[in-house]
Amino acid sequence: MSADRRSTRRLAIEGGRPVGNATVPSWPQLAPRALAAVAAVLESGRWSLPGVRRGGPSAEECFARRFGQFLGAPHCVPVNNGSAALVIALEALDVGAGDEVIIPALTWVANATSVLAVNATPVMADIDPATLCISATAIEAAITERTRAIVVVHLFSSVADLDAITAIGKSLGIPVIEDCSHAHGASWRGRRAGTWGAVGTFSMQEQKLLTSGEGGAAVCQNPELYDRLYQLRSDGRRPRAHTVDGESDLLFDGSVSGTNYCMAQVCAALLDAQLDLLSEQNDRRAKRAAVLDEVISAVPGATPVSALDGVTERTYYRYALRIDPDGFDGVSAATLCRALHAETGLPWQPAYPPLYRHPLYRPRTKRRFTGGGPSQRPAPDAYPEAERAHREIMTLQHPALLAGPDAFDVLPAAFGKLRRHMARLRLIDRTGDA
Ligand SMILES: *Cc1c(COP(=O)(O)O)cnc(C)c1O
């Protein structure tokens, strides 16, 4: 056998020749009017929300209005990141010391740390295997007399079962917060995600579908809640009813103690321009995802994660599929993702580890939480679906869904190659080698 044949036959993670090398567009992508919008803010001399008003509304106010309109939410409070949006959502709903907040067991750490930040206790609930989002049944089982809020995350490319979850919240008088950090522009029964709960939160961090590098927003329907969200974000300051040129729009007058979570004006102007791209990009990603669904459905042992019937617009922060462990000799999704990434150049990534054993979830390392902090290790069988998702879910990051129409042509052959090397993959899986 020639050296060339050998290199083709070895797995790419072990130095063999890859099956293909897809070109994935870089992210973020700059909107046509973004540079001019940012330059205009810099030249205006008003770089912050509390800064002096100079002939017209702030970039922040313009973006808040436009993003609220896009979502169909009457009120929007931009903030400096998505974690801060979660904190002010909890504070606006008066969640604090001694309270419990139900969060999904499979999500980014901010959903736990935001609850800890307001001195409340995160109570994790298992996920629904169909959506990978928090399960309505698990929420019901986790409710106690101390439960003061439920945080739903519309994970990857799913919208959680909002019918069931909002019904639970309504029947018990417990507010629902929708974390839409993965779901900018998704809709449930014709209404946008973020407008079903008491508060909807968004992250505009660099990897998200709408981004200004760092950024976030909280939206709501209720004017009193908006008044609280606004003050909680602006050191307690309220907006002036009648704005005056040469003066700040914010008054030293408020009813709640706030923190400075204001979004910088350059970020607001950037987001306003980036929002021009969102709907068209969401459409393009959805079309590519439909192609990918067909490719994946033809791979033995792999099944796309599909949307619930209530989803009327589906967004793709990450495309997700589930592998049947028997079909892949028990090899984990993490190892398959690494191997498939090496064979194709496509950015495959496993799902998050379950939150209670996420390497960044370390509540006991902060003195603020010691004693009152939650224990990190639940019973081993407490969250079977979150554990199973970590073993079985492979995800593809959204920039790959903006690639050319032939980007996924390589996948059948790449999966075929992995299947021929299951013995090696099992070994790599066990030892963490390569
Ligand atoms: C990114 C993210 C956040 C936090 O957003 P930051 O802007 O990074 O603070 C919160 N929730 C989820 C689900 C996220 O993915």
Side-chain angles (χ1 to χ4, degrees):
M1 186 163 58
S2 72
D4 194 50
R5 284 280 305 281
R6 261 200 310 276
S7 94
T8 316
R9 294 179 71 179
R10 270 192 329 201
L11 287 164
I13 31 169
E14 297 194 292
R17 182 184 301 163
V19 176
N21 188 14
T23 312
V24 177
S26 68
W27 187 264
Q29 294 184 0
L30 199 60
R33 65 181 185 88
L35 288 179
V38 169
V41 164
L42 294 176
E43 282 161 1
S44 77
R46 183 174 181 187
W47 291 11
S48 78
L49 172 65
V52 165
R53 189 178 181 96
R54 295 172 196 272
S58 66
E60 194 265 5
E61 195 180 325
C62 295
F63 171 67
R65 193 177 311 131
R66 186 143 172 258
F67 193 54
Q69 272 164 7
F70 170 76
L71 297 171
H75 306 293
C76 171
V77 175
V79 286
N80 54 354
N81 58 57
S83 305
L86 287 164
V87 169
I88 63 168
L90 292 163
E91 288 180 332
L93 295 166
D94 209 24
V95 177
D99 296 338
E100 291 177 355
V101 177
I102 299 177
I103 63 171
L106 190 85
T107 183
W108 178 239
V109 283
N111 293 110
T113 55
S114 55
V115 174
L116 293 169
V118 304
N119 255 326
T121 304
V123 175
M124 293 176 201
D126 205 3
I127 56 165
D128 176 345
T131 60
L132 311 176
C133 302
I134 196 167
S135 133
T137 325
I139 291 173
E140 280 183 312
I143 282 171
T144 72
E145 64 280 11
R146 289 167 62 197
T147 308
R148 290 293 297 275
I150 298 164
V151 177
V152 173
V153 180
H154 303 305
L155 203 77
F156 299 154
S157 47
S158 289
V159 176
D161 184 351
L162 282 170
D163 292 355
I165 294 166
T166 54
I168 294 169
K170 196 173 264 177
S171 74
L172 299 172
I174 299 171
V176 172
I177 295 170
E178 284 179 87
D179 182 350
C180 309
S181 296
H182 295 186
H184 307 69
S187 297
W188 178 260
R189 304 203 186 285
R191 218 170 92 195
R192 285 259 148 81
T195 65
W196 291 83
V199 182
T201 70
F202 292 82
S203 164
M204 279 72 146
Q205 183 269 340
E206 186 176 271
Q207 291 174 27
K208 306 296 159 77
L209 299 178
L210 175 68
T211 179
S212 53
E214 300 285 356
V219 302
C220 68
Q221 318 281 325
N222 176 304
E224 282 106 62
L225 212 46
Y226 171 63
D227 190 43
R228 285 175 63 85
L229 288 167
Y230 195 104
Q231 295 173 60
L232 287 163
R233 172 284 311 255
S234 336
D235 286 320
R237 286 169 290 190
R238 274 215 172 93
R240 206 186 271 278
H242 302 286
T243 53
V244 189
D245 238 27
E247 303 271 354
S248 173
D249 288 349
L250 302 189
L251 288 176
F252 279 63
D253 165 45
S255 54
V256 269
S257 175
T259 308
N260 180 12
Y261 296 128
C262 291
M263 172 180 279
Q265 295 295 292
V266 286
C267 290
L270 182 53
L271 284 172
D272 200 310
Q274 294 300 119
L275 187 53
D276 295 352
L277 302 182
L278 180 63
S279 294
E280 188 272 330
Q281 287 180 337
N282 276 343
D283 285 351
R284 248 190 317 146
R285 283 185 286 257
K287 288 201 180 86
R288 286 284 188 280
V291 173
L292 190 48
D293 277 346
E294 283 184 31
V295 173
I296 295 304
S297 299
V299 173
T303 315
V305 171
S306 57
L308 296 179
D309 285 345
V311 179
T312 44
E313 270 176 280
R314 192 173 185 196
T315 54
Y316 290 85
Y317 174 66
R318 293 206 220 159
Y319 178 94
L321 65 86
R322 186 183 290 274
I323 52 156
D324 169 5
D326 293 339
F328 287 91
D329 280 5
V331 174
S332 71
T335 296
L336 291 173
C337 283
R338 279 174 55 216
L340 199 60
H341 172 62
E343 297 298 344
T344 62
L346 292 166
W348 290 93
Q349 211 179 22
Y352 303 110
L355 189 45
Y356 44 85
R357 57 186 185 85
H358 194 292
L360 299 180
Y361 182 59
R362 300 245 178 269
R364 300 221 163 222
T365 60
K366 270 198 174 172
R367 232 164 63 77
R368 197 198 316 181
F369 308 133
T370 49
S375 72
Q376 234 164 307
R377 294 258 164 201
D381 55 353
Y383 301 98
E385 291 302 336
E387 291 288 344
R388 198 155 77 88
H390 186 55
R391 286 194 307 272
E392 298 179 4
I393 298 294
M394 297 175 66
T395 73
L396 183 65
Q397 294 172 26
H398 63 86
L401 296 172
L402 296 177
D406 51 359
F408 308 134
D409 290 356
V410 63
L411 282 170
F415 269 108
K417 183 173 171 188
L418 299 195
R419 199 170 289 288
R420 289 195 301 279
H421 290 82
M422 275 305 155
R424 283 303 301 165
L425 287 169
R426 250 193 344 262
L427 194 69
I428 292 166
D429 203 39
R430 269 211 307 277
T431 59
D433 265 1

